[in-house]
């Protein structure tokens, strides 16, 4: 390059990436532009500089003024537009030239003339290029369109003159089609291209779409690089292109005619830069007609480059460089030297789209959870990788895959192999669809007509989700028990019904299936499948006909399965499908969904309409034989549940004896807030054995953070909550009892309004019951595989409690204890049912010496390779401040043997008070005042609680709660290393928030939390920083097998930045380009302990000041909470008035179908309802339930609305009172 030094690429995605690669090869400085939706696109990382566009994502790439401003600010020499967006915008091209920046493309006049198709036709006629029979100019009106259609003869095609990309077209077979399409085409032309002009052409159904690649120097010299066949199209958009055309290979003289006429047309206007002239070629006569000229680089230019050994982007840049040097363009001889006479070999391109071919190619935005291209010699022009989010704002093209070889046959084979062995998991793609095309005999034989897809049959083995139901997720068993690090285990809430369903269809018991809560989905089976639905009784229909549960059923292609509501006790059922779901990615060895943190399953969420699940084509030979489970083996689903549990991990010393007895003698009610992350119970409150939580927090339920066992009864304040499979893996509240694994299935079936009672049992009975349940499942598996009979299997018997429950011989929470000695702390071993053991150091106070010991113990366990190791019974560890939770398989590793092993390891650890621990010191930005945090707090005040001691400013509250000024609190953030001795204390928000921004720095109790994703939360909001997790591991510093950043004993420091700088750094994080600042250091425990001794008196004074401040703030909070509760109560209609209306014979009600929380009120008093009118949206079990007017309510007027958002209602409670029609 002589003069061209800096290039701005005015595009996105794969074409921007492709252009940047050539620019890099030519050593040009490159500027990319991007929107927030495109932050992680490869073109952003590839450029020397990337500039974020302002304005709406959908329109930002069309903001020519902003793009030119960016070019001027960055001393850009030239702008190249690629294709789409502004590439054929005459006004933008003129504006670029006027700003003294080189426009890399044809002259604006050429863009304008060929952009209007009726003018382009006239230019073609003038250059003696045949055109499709059609109108000479634009149509006047609908009648004129009919007149011209009759003259030309049907079929015809209506075209918007400014249209492109397959938009603004309509094929018409008769007069009715013409009249029906005229207004639509005109409207699309006006809305999409700002030109309502329409013309009409004769339509040739049996034809080829062949185009010629040309290049001109603007001085009258034009060369061509042969032709491309682009006949296979959907919605008039190409999906497969090849060079050369199979038709011209068969008839070489056709190529010469096509290419000569293309050059003649381009020379007639002294065309400049790259362009493509498109033709329609009749398959029978081989007559060809000019269609249009694309005055830009074409999407499919790559196949031409492969066959002609040319870089068309480089040629465009060299043309621009020649112009910038003062020449009018490339010299004639230089231009002609670039073109070989004939193509070399055969190249084929397949466009991979995020779209659903089974749903008329509807675009499919979402996250690409896996992108794996088969290793090959393919050229892949792409912008995506694992973790890329496909936006709904842009074209869904993911990649262009190109192969080149000496023969068309070998190129097709290479493409078939590549498509078969590549894998994309996430939203639907056309990968399998393309594979089927390349296997079609018509395509293989070169019969590539424009109507190819009209008769092409694509029948994937898949399930099209018509509706997702209330909450339907993909789960497998046992989920991710080895994951930890803040991520839930996941898996089925009811592992019993889940495993049986899989066994009935012939799957392994852990194969992924659907967990359906309260109300199920409607599924359209596009291919044959074998299914079974097991669990709580639900309505089940195939094509409208009721069918039984607990039965293997053969679904045939195009049947629809509808799963309705629960019809009895229990709340979850499980749909097993033979072979599982092939297009769902594994994450850490599991496909299970944890929607709360957005991992696993289908897009990390519940299923929705439009989702698409690929199933196995290979089905069992006996698929047509229906086989029901014997009725006596179906578990019962009552409305009251007796739940077996073991005491611990925390009980004596935390709860009074009367509190403990209250737990086991209370018939608890299941709250409306019962979901996979927690099942809240309604009942009496404990009195507690202590007045506060010490360093854990102000409430006696507070503890220093520790690992939570699944199945634990956790006390969040005075409110009990059972922690099922999606619970947090650690926290700071007392867990007093833990459900045994044998009863996990019951825990998973308890629904809002049910009652339950805990019964204490021993470890021996817990393991015996678990073995009994597992043996029951194994026997069913044997019977399903024809190695046994259902009749010989004894059902699970829950009529009597286990012996230990009756005898009161159930053990203690602390199963072993080592007293403190010298510098070794007291060590307690606390049980968490039959699969968890909590090793706790000290007496409940924060101490980094204990944290050091936790880390050392975890390391010793990880390195163990004997009878007790991670290969023989151990599952996972969760290390916190003063404790290590060990999860293990109680059927493989006896609790006593595990404790003996841990005691031996404890002796080996010795004194760690002077040890040196490897650490990393991180330096992170923090902004204290910012709009994201303000919006979150405002949202909380508007939707959850209007005032509190911590509102409207969490930062001010935390400062006051610790006897600090705001400035002093900031100084603590900016001068502390957060693993060290800084002690700030504050209560959590009550109620907790529904929304917290990603990157939120917050305080709760004595701990800081960094929220890595948008999520609910209760910690006080004190600033924003950069997240420390990338779930799919695609960003700098992360990997798919290590999506977390921080390790044990890493240290965090903060430096203050303004909001603008913070947003810049957060944008870098989103784009994957943020580089964390950190250094390897050593944490010296001896130095730390010396500091503690030297500052002991100072710390005691600080704590006294904190105590006084917290007592003051606690009083303020108590008063404000009382005031808020009174105001809420006053806002409700007095019960005597409600009762009077309910007794009125002219009043009817809309009632709550279940125990729930009121989320939204959609109706207004005085409104007249129609059947199906949406009145109230309830929230229960983390799901939205819309309450609608029934047919009998049609015409009724709303007299009174009895509820408001955030009210709690019970099943059957009146929500709305209606005045009946007179």
């Amino acid at each position: 390059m002589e003069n061209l030094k800096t290039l701005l690429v005015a595009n996105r995605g794969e074409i921007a990436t492709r252009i940047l690669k050539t620019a890099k090869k030519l050593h040009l400085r490159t500027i990319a532009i991007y929107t927030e939706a495109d932050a992680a696109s490869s073109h952003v990382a590839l450029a020397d500089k990337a500039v974020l566009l302002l304005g709406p994502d959908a329109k930002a790439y069309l903001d020519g003024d902003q793009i030119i401003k960016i070019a001027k600010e960055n001393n850009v020499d030239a702008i190249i537009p690629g294709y789409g967006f502004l590439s054929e915008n005459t006004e933008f091209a003129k504006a670029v030239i006027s700003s003294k920046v080189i426009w890399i493309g044809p002259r604006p006049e050429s863009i304008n003339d060929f952009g209007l198709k009726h003018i382009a036709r006239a230019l073609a006629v003038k250059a003696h290029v045949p055109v499709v029979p059609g109108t000479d100019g634009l149509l006047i009106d609908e009648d004129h369109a009919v007149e011209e259609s009759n003259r030309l003869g049907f079929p015809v095609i209506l075209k918007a003159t400014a249209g492109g990309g397959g938009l603004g077209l309509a094929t018409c077979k008769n007069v009715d089609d013409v009249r029906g399409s005229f207004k639509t085409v005109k409207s699309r032309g006006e809305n999409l291209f700002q030109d309502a002009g329409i013309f009409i052409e004769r339509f040739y159904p049996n034809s080829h779409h062949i185009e010629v690649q040309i290049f001109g120097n603007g001085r009258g010299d034009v060369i061509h690089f042969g032709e491309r066949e682009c006949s296979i199209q959907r919605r008039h958009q190409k999906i497969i292109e090849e060079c050369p055309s199979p038709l011209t290979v068969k008839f070489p003289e056709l190529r010469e005619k096509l290419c000569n006429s293309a050059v003649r047309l381009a020379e007639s206007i002294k065309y400049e830069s790259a362009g493509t002239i498109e033709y329609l070629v009749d398959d029978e006569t081989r007559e060809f007609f000019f269609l249009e000229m694309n005055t830009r680089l074409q999407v499919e230019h790559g196949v031409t480059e492969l066959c002609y050994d040319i870089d068309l982007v480089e040629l465009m840049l060299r043309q621009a460089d020649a112009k910038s040097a003062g020449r009018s363009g490339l010299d004639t001889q230089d231009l002609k030297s670039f073109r070989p006479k004939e193509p070399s070999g055969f190249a084929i391109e397949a466009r991979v789209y995020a779209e659903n071919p089974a749903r008329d190619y509807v675009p499919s935005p979402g996250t690409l959870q896996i992108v794996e291209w088969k290793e090959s010699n393919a050229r892949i022009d792409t912008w995506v990788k694992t973790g890329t989010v496909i936006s709904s704002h842009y074209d869904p093209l993911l990649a262009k895959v190109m192969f080149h070889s000496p023969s068309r046959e070998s190129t097709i084979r290479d493409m078939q192999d590549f498509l078969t062995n590549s894998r994309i998991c996430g939203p639907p793609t056309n990968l399998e669809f393309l594979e089927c095309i390349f296997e079609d005999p018509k395509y293989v034989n070169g019969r590539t007509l424009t109507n190819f897809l009209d008769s092409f049959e694509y029948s994937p083995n898949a399930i099209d989700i018509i509706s997702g139901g209330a909450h339907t997720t993909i789960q497998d068993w046992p989920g991710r028990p080895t994951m930890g690090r803040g991520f839930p285990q996941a898996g089925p809430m009811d592992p019993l019904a889940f495993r049986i369903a899989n066994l009935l269809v012939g799957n392994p018991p852990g194969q992924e299936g659907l967990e359906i809560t309260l109300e199920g989905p409607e599924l359209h089976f596009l291919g044959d499948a074998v299914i079974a639905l097991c669990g709580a009784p639900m309505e089940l229909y195939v094509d409208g006909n009721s069918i039984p549960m607990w039965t293997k059923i053969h679904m045939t292609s195009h049947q629809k399965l509808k799963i309705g509501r629960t019809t009895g006790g229990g709340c979850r059922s499980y749909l097993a499908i033979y072979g599982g779901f092939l297009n769902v990615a594994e994450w850490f060895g599991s496909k299970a969904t944890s929607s709360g943190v957005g991992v696993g399953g289908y897009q990390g969420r519940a299923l929705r309409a439009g989702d698409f699940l690929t199933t196995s084509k290979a089905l069992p030979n006996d698929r047509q034989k229906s086989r029901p489970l014997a009725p006596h083996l179906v578990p019962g689903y009552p409305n009251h549940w007796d739940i077996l549990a073991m005491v611990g991990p925390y009980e004596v010393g935390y709860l009074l004896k009367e509190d403990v007895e209250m737990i086991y003698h209370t018939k608890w009610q299941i709250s409306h807030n019962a979901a996979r992350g927690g099942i809240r119970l309604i009942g009496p409150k404990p009195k507690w054995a202590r007045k506060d939580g010490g360093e854990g927090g102000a409430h006696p339920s507070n503890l220093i953070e520790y690992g939570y066992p699944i199945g634990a009864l956790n006390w969040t304040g005075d409110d009990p909550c059972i922690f099922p499979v999606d619970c947090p893996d650690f926290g700071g509240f007392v867990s007093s009892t833990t459900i045994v694994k044998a009863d996990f299935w019951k825990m998973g079936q308890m629904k809002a309004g049910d009652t339950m009672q805990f019964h204490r049992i021993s470890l021996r009975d817990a393991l015996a019951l678990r073995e009994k349940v597992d043996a029951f499942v194994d026997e069913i598996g044997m019977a399903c595989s024809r190695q046994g009979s259902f009749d010989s299997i004894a059902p699970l018997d829950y009529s009597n409690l286990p012996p230990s429950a009756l005898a009161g011989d159930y053990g203690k929470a602390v199963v072993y204890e080592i007293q403190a000695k010298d510098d070794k702390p007291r060590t307690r071993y606390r049980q968490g049912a039959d699969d968890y053991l909590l090793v706790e150091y000290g007496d409940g106070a924060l101490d980094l010496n204990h944290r050091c010991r936790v880390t050392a113990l975890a390391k010793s366990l990880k390195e163990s390779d004997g009878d007790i190791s991670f290969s023989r019974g151990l599952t996972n560890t969760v290390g916190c401040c003063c404790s290590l939770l060990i999860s293990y398989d109680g059927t493989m590793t006896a609790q006593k043997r595990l404790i003996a092993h841990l005691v031996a390891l404890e002796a080996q650890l010795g004194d760690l008070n002077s040890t040196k621990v490897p650490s990393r010191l991180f330096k992170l930005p923090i902004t204290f005042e910012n709009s994201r945090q303000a919006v979150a707090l405002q949202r909380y005040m508007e939707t959850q609680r209007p005032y509190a001691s911590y509102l409207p400013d969490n930062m001010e509250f935390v400062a006051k709660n610790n006897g600090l000024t705001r400035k002093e609190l900031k100084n603590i953030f900016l001068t502390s290393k957060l693993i060290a001795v800084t002690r700030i204390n504050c209560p959590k928000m009550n109620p907790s928030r529904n929304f917290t921004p990603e990157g939120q720095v917050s305080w709760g109790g004595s701990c800081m939390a960094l929220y890595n994703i948008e999520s609910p939360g209760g910690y006080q909001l004190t600033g924003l920083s950069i997240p420390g997790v990338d779930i799919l591991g695609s960003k700098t510093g992360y990997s798919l097998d290590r999506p977390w950043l921080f390790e044990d004993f890493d240290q965090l420091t903060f430096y203050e930045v303004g909001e603008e700088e913070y947003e810049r750094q957060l944008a870098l994080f989103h784009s994957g380009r943020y580089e964390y600042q950190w250094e390897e250091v050593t944490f010296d425990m001896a130095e730390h302990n010396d500091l503690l001794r030297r500052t002991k008196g100072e710390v005691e004074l600080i704590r006294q000041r904190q105590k006084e401040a917290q007592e003051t703030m606690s009083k303020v909070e108590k008063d404000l909470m009382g005031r808020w509760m009174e105001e809420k109560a006053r806002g409700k209609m007095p019960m005597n008035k409600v009762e009077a209306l309910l007794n009125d014979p002219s009043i009817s009600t809309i009632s709550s179908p279940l125990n729930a929380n009121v989320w939204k009120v959609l109706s207004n008093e005085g409104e007249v309802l129609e059947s199906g009118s949406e009145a109230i949206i309830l929230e229960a079990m983390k799901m939205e339930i819309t309450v609608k007017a029934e047919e009998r309510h049609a015409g009724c007027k709303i007299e009174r609305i009895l509820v408001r958002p955030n009210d709690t209602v019970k099943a059957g409670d009146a929500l709305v009172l209606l005045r009946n029609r007179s």
Side-chain angles (χ1 to χ4, degrees), residues 701-893:
S701 68
N702 295 155
L703 289 170
I704 300 297
E705 270 69 10
Y706 67 99
Y708 285 149
I710 293 178
L713 176 64
N714 188 261
W715 294 89
T716 54
D718 295 328
D719 298 318
C721 180
I722 296 172
F723 276 169
V725 290
D726 269 1
C727 70
D729 68 345
F730 71 93
F733 293 100
V734 166
S735 296
S736 59
T737 189
T738 308
I739 297 172
V740 301
K741 204 158 190 178
D743 269 12
F744 272 17
W745 75 270
K746 298 182 188 176
M747 173 176 67
Q749 290 292 354
M750 296 190 300
K751 68 179 177 183
D754 284 358
T755 57
M756 60 85 64
Q757 186 171 352
F758 290 105
H759 300 277
R760 287 167 287 193
I761 65 169
S762 66
L763 174 62
R764 175 181 291 181
D765 280 347
L767 292 172
L769 286 166
R770 180 166 158 192
E771 289 176 356
K772 184 178 179 182
V773 171
D774 288 344
F776 175 72
V777 173
D778 290 342
E779 287 183 84
I780 289 175
M782 296 289 286
C784 289
S785 61
R786 308 292 178 180
Q787 298 179 51
S789 167
F790 288 147
D791 295 335
S792 63
I793 303 173
L796 292 174
D797 183 8
Y798 292 97
S799 58
N800 297 307
L801 291 173
S804 57
L806 299 172
D809 180 22
Y810 36 72
K812 296 180 179 179
V814 178
V815 291
Y816 194 79
E817 183 172 347
I818 304 173
Q819 294 299 322
K821 184 178 181 181
D822 299 327
D823 287 323
K824 295 180 182 177
R826 180 164 70 168
T827 307
R828 293 185 183 93
Y829 298 87
R830 299 178 176 277
Q831 68 180 5
D834 44 336
D835 267 5
Y836 295 94
L837 192 69
L838 183 70
V839 183
E840 179 190 54
Y841 295 116
D843 297 300
L846 280 166
D847 190 331
L848 280 182
N849 292 285
H850 301 339
R851 187 66 182 93
C852 181
R853 205 165 193 85
V854 167
T855 302
L857 179 59
K859 184 173 183 289
S860 296
L861 286 171
K862 187 176 181 181
E863 293 172 352
S864 296
D865 57 2
D867 289 340
I868 297 178
S869 64
F870 280 97
S871 60
R872 298 184 182 180
L874 297 187
T875 306
N876 199 16
T877 60
V878 177
C880 290
C881 305
C882 306
S883 62
L884 183 72
L885 180 71
I886 301 167
S887 61
Y888 66 102
D889 186 340
T891 63
M892 290 180 63
T893 301

Side-chain angles (χ1 to χ4, degrees), residues 917-1125:
V917 183
S919 176
R920 294 179 300 172
L921 183 62
F922 284 85
K923 188 178 180 182
L924 296 172
I926 188 170
T927 173
F928 294 109
E929 284 84 25
N930 55 80
S931 55
R932 292 176 187 259
Q933 183 172 292
V935 167
L937 282 170
Q938 186 64 32
R939 180 171 170 178
Y940 178 83
M941 292 168 68
E942 290 176 352
T943 62
Q944 292 181 262
R945 185 174 172 184
Y947 49 80
S949 57
Y950 48 81
L951 296 174
D953 189 337
N954 284 183
M955 189 80 172
E956 188 70 22
F957 168 73
V958 175
K960 288 181 178 179
N961 199 65
N962 287 276
L964 301 169
T965 66
R966 191 184 192 92
K967 184 176 180 180
E968 288 171 330
L969 178 58
K970 279 188 178 183
N971 189 56
I972 288 174
F973 273 102
L974 299 175
T975 58
S976 298
K977 296 175 183 176
L978 289 174
I979 199 171
V981 297
T982 302
R983 301 272 170 81
I984 299 175
N985 194 289
C986 67
K988 300 169 185 176
M989 299 174 82
N990 180 22
S992 59
R993 292 180 308 280
N994 292 326
F995 171 78
T996 310
E998 64 168 340
Q1000 183 70 59
V1001 177
S1002 53
W1003 281 96
S1006 299
C1007 295
M1008 187 209 83
L1010 178 61
Y1011 287 78
N1012 293 304
I1013 60 173
E1014 291 183 357
S1015 61
Y1019 282 26
Q1020 306 293 339
L1021 309 184
T1022 51
L1024 285 172
S1025 188
I1026 302 300
V1029 163
D1030 176 29
I1031 287 171
L1032 294 176
S1034 61
K1035 295 179 173 63
T1036 300
Y1038 300 91
S1039 62
L1040 191 56
D1041 60 354
R1042 194 178 175 277
W1044 58 84
L1045 182 66
F1046 305 117
E1047 298 287 355
D1048 288 351
F1049 263 86
D1050 280 346
Q1051 302 172 59
L1052 305 185
T1053 63
F1054 292 108
Y1055 64 94
E1056 187 174 5
V1057 297
E1059 183 169 12
E1060 184 176 346
E1061 173 59 17
Y1062 171 73
E1063 290 295 335
R1064 186 190 73 81
Q1065 294 198 36
L1066 186 64
L1068 284 174
F1069 172 76
H1070 288 156
S1071 70
R1073 296 176 295 146
Y1074 182 82
E1075 295 187 3
Y1076 293 90
Q1077 298 178 48
W1078 60 275
E1079 59 179 310
E1080 299 277 2
V1081 295
T1082 299
F1083 192 89
D1084 191 325
M1085 292 303 303
E1087 286 184 6
H1088 168 67
N1089 288 321
D1090 181 58
L1091 176 65
L1092 290 182
R1093 284 188 291 269
R1094 287 187 286 108
T1095 60
K1096 183 178 179 181
E1098 182 183 346
V1099 169
E1100 287 177 354
L1101 289 173
I1102 291 172
R1103 287 182 175 170
Q1104 181 59 36
R1105 187 176 67 184
Q1106 285 178 322
K1107 182 179 179 181
E1108 292 170 359
Q1110 288 161 12
E1111 286 176 353
T1112 300
M1113 296 307 294
S1114 179
K1115 290 177 182 176
V1116 172
E1117 172 61 9
K1118 184 178 180 180
D1119 291 344
L1120 290 174
M1121 173 63 83
R1123 176 181 152 200
W1124 180 50
M1125 297 303 290

Side-chain angles (χ1 to χ4, degrees), residues 164 307 419 427 531 845:
C307 282
L419 295 172
I531 69 165

